[in-house]
Amino acid sequence: MRHIFALIVVGTLGLGLFYTLSHIPFGKGLSEVSKYYVENAIDKNDPHAGATNIVTDIVVLYRGFDTLGEVTVLFLAATGLSVFFFGLKKKEYTCEPSLIVKRGTGIIFPFILLLGVYIFVHGHLTPGGGFPGGVIIATGVLLIYLCCRDYKAPHSLFKVIEGSMGTLFVIVGLIGLIVGGSFLFNFLGAGKTGELVSAGIIPILYIVIGLKVGAELSGLVKDTMEDV
Amino acid sequence: MIDYILIPLVLVMFASAISVIFIKDLIVAVIVTAVVDLITVVLFFFLQAPDVAITQASIVVGLTTFIFVVAIMRTTRKEEE
Amino acid sequence: MIYYIAGGGLFLIGLYILLVNRNLIKMIIGLGFMETGVNIIIIAFGYVKGKTAPILSTKELINNRQVVDPLPQALVLTAIVIGVAVTALALSMVVSYYKKRGSLNLSKNKELKW
């Protein structure tokens, strides 16, 4: 009975979706606002220019306030997860980690950290950015937890990094407000496109976001892998 | 041309997504979900969106799977009728 | 065209899982499928045939501006992170529900029925 009802709902919605999508053309040109973004990404006189990666340009500069809210939502979700998991015992492990996992973790962990840092430092030149870089660092911490059962991560260090980086984001935005008249104004200028130190405040903000997300999610991994 | 290469990939994605309904072991269902998300990474890459692809690969395939496994560790593994 | 089919199909499969299953963790898996399908459709709106990713790497690209639409990609980048936050919070609520009821099956909770 439930299956028939579900099939009717899904079929009706599928027909509507097919009708709508067949009227939207596939593979046509840019929209007007995107033309503005692409034209200004290489304009030397525009303070928003400088990044080779146009997506980063939009996420960090044009929609920077939105990114601040995004970081806040991720922080609230991590805090909520820790609150709900408090006091719950997890299942006992039935087997020890093998020798390969133990030795391999020691070799591969520095490279995971290096990859994470590389991805958020080069966020304005190549694909990537603060969020994937932070998550890669957190997976490195998770790997340590998988190989050493009685490892305790430095919790206060994570909290200090997270809080100071969140404050730094707002401070950079406020400096832009004082100097240029708008929150998160690019007060450092565009620089030479394609070099590591260019694009004004984009690398600063991505390093801040990367460290904050990495510390936050490493704290989440610690909260969930240890019984409190 | 590239569209025809993607057809078997999309079919595998649909088959894994539908098989979630019938799998009784929740850990296996979560791993199958990771397979579906991994195939969407390939789709994002062919849609010329490498930024979204790298974010999907690290955040959705890595972090979401981890959170699901942790939640199953705290609850039960078998789906009862 | 195959991208529209993939995104719409994934959305519909996720909705079907959400409607049919009574297990809470499987319902959240279905929710994740719906979200991924919508993301694929949004990215496919901005795709332009024969153009490259919005990264200005060579001189010709800078002069001709042969790139796909960068705006949907920026929006989806935000949506993915928010989606993970939603999934994490929903799963933590599932865990606390299990602590109270001892079961993940939604049909066994009869207190709201009459």
Side-chain angles (χ1 to χ4, degrees):
Chain A
M1 187 57 214
R2 200 161 66 206
H3 286 260
I4 297 167
F5 175 70
L7 271 180
I8 291 171
V9 171
V10 168
T12 317
L13 208 68
L15 281 180
L17 203 63
F18 180 74
Y19 181 76
T20 315
L21 287 183
S22 60
H23 283 262
I24 297 176
F26 180 75
K28 291 292 186 294
L30 302 177
S31 60
E32 289 301 317
V33 62
S34 302
K35 271 180 197 154
Y36 174 81
Y37 290 147
V38 176
E39 296 287 324
N40 282 37
I42 44 181
D43 188 2
K44 283 282 173 279
N45 301 318
D46 187 29
H48 290 303
T52 340
N53 191 346
I54 303 176
V55 178
T56 305
D57 223 352
I58 297 174
V59 167
V60 180
L61 284 183
Y62 292 102
R63 301 172 56 85
F65 199 64
D66 189 46
T67 306
L68 181 59
E70 191 182 345
V71 169
T72 314
V73 167
L74 201 61
F75 166 69
L76 284 179
T79 314
L81 196 85
S82 309
V83 167
F84 276 112
F85 275 19
F86 183 77
L88 285 176
K89 286 268 178 256
K90 66 171 186 292
K91 299 237 170 79
E92 288 295 316
Y93 295 107
T94 49
C95 57
E96 280 290 300
S98 71
L99 185 69
I100 296 175
V101 175
K102 279 182 178 169
R103 300 307 304 165
T105 302
I107 297 169
I108 214 171
F109 176 69
F111 294 104
I112 292 179
L113 279 190
L114 190 66
L115 178 67
V117 172
Y118 171 82
I119 281 183
F120 65 69
V121 167
H122 286 77
H124 59 298
L125 299 177
T126 51
F131 294 99
V135 174
I136 287 171
I137 290 177
T139 47
V141 176
L142 172 64
L143 191 61
I144 292 188
Y145 268 104
L146 287 181
C147 92
C148 315
R149 289 289 147 77
D150 46 0
Y151 174 72
K152 295 263 185 267
H155 193 248
S156 53
L157 177 69
F158 292 156
K159 288 298 164 200
V160 166
I161 291 178
E162 189 188 335
S164 58
M165 287 304 149
T167 319
L168 202 59
F169 193 113
V170 180
I171 287 175
V172 169
L174 285 179
I175 292 174
L177 183 62
I178 294 166
V179 174
S182 67
F183 191 71
L184 285 173
F185 181 79
N186 193 354
F187 55 87
L188 288 178
K192 192 174 182 306
T193 305
E195 287 186 356
L196 184 57
V197 184
S198 66
I201 61 171
I202 293 180
I204 301 174
L205 285 182
Y206 253 171
I207 289 170
V208 164
I209 291 173
L211 285 177
K212 181 170 163 57
V213 171
E216 194 169 278
L217 295 177
S218 306
L220 190 147
V221 167
K222 179 193 157 60
D223 284 343
T224 50
M225 294 301 285
E226 287 177 9
D227 286 329
V228 213
Chain B
M1 182 55 210
I2 201 78
D3 291 2
Y4 299 109
I5 304 171
L6 285 178
I7 286 175
L9 216 55
V10 170
L11 287 179
V12 170
M13 184 175 88
F14 282 171
S16 347
I18 291 173
S19 72
V20 168
I21 303 173
F22 307 108
I23 294 172
K24 293 293 172 203
D25 193 342
L26 287 177
I27 292 272
V28 178
V30 168
I31 300 301
V32 167
T33 311
V35 170
V36 173
D37 286 328
L38 212 54
I39 293 175
T40 59
V41 172
V42 180
L43 290 185
F44 282 141
F45 185 74
F46 281 116
L47 278 170
Q48 302 292 343
D51 259 307
V52 182
I54 204 168
T55 310
Q56 176 94 358
S58 65
I59 295 188
V60 176
V61 181
L63 194 65
T64 312
T65 309
F66 162 69
I67 296 174
F68 268 111
V69 170
V70 159
I72 292 171
M73 269 163 68
R74 295 269 197 299
T75 58
T76 177
R77 185 173 169 177
K78 292 277 179 282
E79 179 189 10
E80 70 262 48
E81 287 305 316
Chain C
M1 201 58 214
I2 182 88
Y3 303 107
Y4 280 172
I5 297 170
L10 206 56
F11 178 83
L12 295 177
I13 291 171
L15 185 66
Y16 187 74
I17 292 173
L18 197 61
L19 287 175
V20 163
N21 271 293
R22 295 287 93 179
N23 187 295
L24 278 168
I25 288 185
K26 277 196 183 176
M27 288 168 81
I28 295 174
I29 290 177
L31 214 60
F33 282 170
M34 288 171 76
E35 184 196 310
T36 311
V38 171
N39 284 348
I40 294 176
I41 293 178
I42 294 176
I43 295 270
F45 285 163
Y47 180 68
V48 185
K49 235 184 172 59
K51 301 200 172 178
T52 61
I55 294 170
L56 307 167
S57 47
T58 62
K59 268 276 187 290
E60 292 81 45
L61 281 178
I62 296 174
N63 292 333
N64 298 331
R65 304 179 172 96
Q66 295 286 321
V67 294
V68 300
D69 204 337
L71 186 61
Q73 302 188 10
L75 294 179
V76 168
L77 215 61
T78 310
I80 287 174
V81 178
I82 302 296
V84 167
V86 168
T87 307
L89 211 55
L91 277 173
S92 62
M93 286 177 189
V94 166
V95 169
S96 98
Y97 176 87
Y98 181 80
K99 191 175 75 173
K100 219 169 167 59
R101 304 274 171 192
S103 165
L104 281 180
N105 200 332
L106 211 53
S107 307
K108 292 193 176 159
N109 186 7
K110 295 208 165 62
E111 289 182 3
L112 280 177
K113 294 180 179 174
W114 67 84

